[in-house]
Amino acid sequence: MNKKELAHIRKQLKLDHEMLKIYDILNVYIMKESSEIYHHERQPFAMLDREKQELYMGNFKKLLTGELDQKMIELKFQDEAEEPSRELLHQALVTGDPEEWHDLMILMVEKMLKDTNYERDMVVTFVRGQLARPTKKRNEAAEESEKDEMFSHLFILCSVNSTEQQRKILMFDYVEREYKYNVFVDPIIKLNTPEQGFLYPSVTDNYSDVNRILYCMGKANEPNWQFIDQVLNAEKTVTAHEERAIFEEIVKEVAGDQLDASTIAHVYEAVHQIIESNEGEEPPKLDYVDVERVLTASGIGNVTKEKVEQAFQTVVDDRNYEFKASSVIPKFNSKSIKIDTKVATISISPQDLKFVKQVNYQGKRCILIEVDEDAVIEGFTLNTEMLFPG
């Protein structure tokens, strides 16, 4: 799955969208004390109140919000898993029997409960439906609509949400004109902050890929590997956060662990240019040859293909490892880099990193930032001091 395919799915996740159909919804309530199913309920999605439909749709939009390889990762299923989820989910996908789908989803929940203790009551929500999209690009000169040739994508979407107890509150009764103390005992289902979930099947080249699943995290770069391994029976993969750390270790292995900010900025710019110049659907990847070119173009001396190849072997134990180029640099056009010191935290974009230097001033390390205008603090314009007068 690429960004374009994910964006199309997000775009359709709205009520009354003509290219989206949601057939059934199943909610399963799990008690934290016993880690058992306390209640489950399935019904046609169309039978829900409009307000409930909007809440659930908002939950699933939130689940699928974020960057690929950071908030969501596409996973392959394990080839040799006992009671593989791939077969269970595929059967649930193709069955036309709502009762069978219900029973299969309960089996998925039972896998979630095995060897797992929850700190709060949990609610697992499944929906099954169908997405549609054109199978070819629109021909402006042709008479037929872009919707004449459509690809139907059956899907199962799952969201795992925690609950919280409501607070004791003081209320004002307009009729009786008095203040009342109220205690609500019913838990709140936190639909606005899903813990994790998945979309099955994934999409490759606009077609369903039943051998892959899109796993969604509650927080970016914090996958639940136990859930991925034991519940989804999927293979572990490398997140964007982990790939960046690996890339940094390879750069240190080649160039040393001390670089000036300008050199780091040039590395990020070189990778960004590779991403920008890519015209394909799939994100570009970097092997050791590409990394050697990036480091050489960034002004790092004594870089050779052999040296970079050996760094790959040392760090990842694989000379032929390939990085997703988008994973190895921070978000280029936003203040995605944090410079943390005891005095302050500075946020800066990769393209502006070249304006930052660490200098020695009067025996002390200082951060020097080149600016085009006067700095203003709380309405006061800072006086410009000469570091080296005369």
Side-chain angles (χ1 to χ4, degrees):
M1 179 178 285
N2 57 41
K3 291 182 179 180
K4 191 174 180 180
E5 290 163 337
L6 178 59
H8 182 81
I9 293 172
R10 287 175 181 151
K11 186 177 179 180
Q12 292 191 21
L13 277 179
K14 59 180 66 174
L15 294 181
D16 305 322
H17 197 291
E18 61 180 349
M19 297 172 75
L20 169 68
K21 296 179 182 177
I22 298 182
Y23 303 124
D24 292 283
I25 183 169
L26 169 65
N27 283 303
V28 183
Y29 196 96
I30 300 168
M31 298 292 288
K32 67 174 181 179
E33 289 86 358
S34 59
S35 291
E36 293 178 351
I37 296 174
Y38 177 74
H39 177 71
H40 54 87
E41 179 181 271
R42 176 188 58 82
Q43 61 187 124
F45 190 78
M47 298 297 292
L48 296 178
D49 295 337
R50 180 79 179 188
E51 292 77 9
K52 285 185 179 180
Q53 290 179 349
E54 290 174 348
L55 285 172
Y56 285 118
M57 195 63 73
N59 171 64
F60 289 121
K61 282 183 179 179
K62 189 76 173 180
L63 185 71
L64 294 175
T65 297
E67 299 288 335
L68 277 172
D69 300 318
Q70 297 181 29
K71 179 80 164 31
M72 288 157 283
I73 46 178
E74 187 181 47
L75 302 169
K76 293 180 181 178
F77 287 105
Q78 299 169 8
D79 290 329
E80 299 178 1
E82 299 179 12
E83 302 177 1
S85 290
R86 171 169 47 189
E87 294 181 8
L88 188 157
L89 287 168
H90 186 262
Q91 180 59 30
L93 185 74
V94 300
T95 183
D97 183 358
E99 289 291 341
E100 183 181 12
W101 176 77
H102 171 274
D103 293 341
L104 291 167
M105 293 303 94
I106 293 297
L107 290 177
M108 282 296 297
V109 175
E110 289 175 352
K111 294 185 74 168
M112 296 180 197
L113 297 177
K114 189 176 180 181
D115 300 325
T116 302
N117 294 316
Y118 293 105
E119 296 180 357
R120 298 180 179 180
D121 290 358
M122 306 294 291
V123 176
V124 184
T125 302
F126 299 94
V127 291
R128 68 186 189 102
Q130 177 177 293
L131 289 164
R133 67 172 300 154
T135 58
K136 66 177 183 178
K137 294 182 179 179
R138 183 174 183 179
N139 183 354
E140 297 292 345
E143 295 182 0
E144 69 267 17
S145 164
E146 63 176 347
K147 297 172 187 173
D148 285 351
E149 293 187 25
M150 304 298 294
F151 161 64
S152 295
H153 174 71
L154 293 171
F155 70 89
I156 295 170
L157 196 51
C158 169
S159 176
V160 180
N161 298 76
S162 62
T163 67
E164 64 180 1
Q165 294 298 322
Q166 299 193 51
R167 299 176 181 176
K168 300 174 183 178
I169 61 172
L170 190 65
M171 301 176 63
F172 180 72
D173 188 324
Y174 279 103
V175 178
E176 300 295 333
R177 298 190 179 187
E178 64 178 352
Y179 295 95
K180 293 183 177 180
Y181 173 73
N182 238 320
V183 180
F184 293 95
V185 297
D186 295 332
I188 297 173
I189 302 170
K190 300 168 68 176
L191 291 177
N192 60 332
T193 54
E195 301 275 328
Q196 61 184 340
F198 62 82
L199 171 68
Y200 175 81
S202 185
V203 176
T204 301
D205 296 330
N206 295 334
Y207 291 93
S208 297
D209 188 344
V210 295
N211 294 312
R212 297 173 185 263
I213 189 168
L214 186 70
Y215 170 72
C216 311
M217 310 170 213
K219 295 181 180 179
N221 298 307
E222 294 185 13
N224 183 335
W225 293 118
Q226 180 183 2
F227 185 92
I228 289 170
D229 178 49
Q230 299 183 15
V231 177
L232 300 182
N233 304 135
E235 296 179 358
K236 186 174 180 179
T237 189
V238 180
T239 66
H241 182 74
E242 291 170 329
E243 278 216 316
R244 189 180 305 169
I246 294 169
F247 178 75
E248 290 169 358
E249 287 301 315
I250 287 174
V251 174
K252 290 177 184 178
E253 190 75 19
V254 175
D257 57 3
Q258 289 192 350
L259 295 174
D260 58 58
S262 179
T263 301
I264 299 171
H266 287 143
V267 171
Y268 290 158
E269 286 175 357
V271 175
H272 180 68
Q273 287 176 3
I274 293 173
I275 297 171
E276 289 292 291
S277 61
N278 177 61
E279 297 179 355
E281 292 283 342
E282 292 300 319
K285 293 187 176 182
L286 307 176
D287 60 13
Y288 74 87
V289 176
D290 300 312
V291 172
E292 182 270 332
R293 290 172 182 162
V294 165
L295 298 185
T296 300
S298 302
I300 298 174
N302 301 318
V303 178
T304 64
K305 287 187 177 66
E306 292 74 21
K307 196 172 182 179
V308 178
E309 184 181 7
Q310 183 56 47
F312 269 67
Q313 184 66 34
T314 301
V315 176
V316 291
D317 196 26
D318 184 358
R319 299 173 188 269
N320 298 313
Y321 186 86
E322 292 182 326
F323 297 98
K324 283 187 179 179
S326 58
S327 297
V328 303
I329 62 172
K331 231 173 181 179
F332 197 75
N333 296 316
S334 65
K335 294 182 178 181
S336 55
I337 295 176
K338 298 290 186 292
I339 303 174
D340 289 315
T341 71
K342 289 184 178 180
V343 177
T345 298
I346 303 166
S347 297
I348 195 167
S349 67
Q351 58 188 338
D352 292 331
L353 193 59
K354 57 180 173 286
F355 300 118
V356 177
K357 288 182 173 63
Q358 179 172 281
V359 300
N360 187 307
Y361 175 62
Q362 296 182 352
K364 297 180 180 179
R365 280 175 298 192
C366 300
I367 297 293
L368 179 67
I369 303 176
E370 180 185 336
V371 295
D372 294 330
E373 66 286 325
D374 287 332
V376 179
I377 299 178
E378 297 294 330
F380 296 95
T381 301
L382 293 186
N383 181 39
T384 300
E385 303 178 33
M386 297 297 293
L387 289 180
F388 307 102

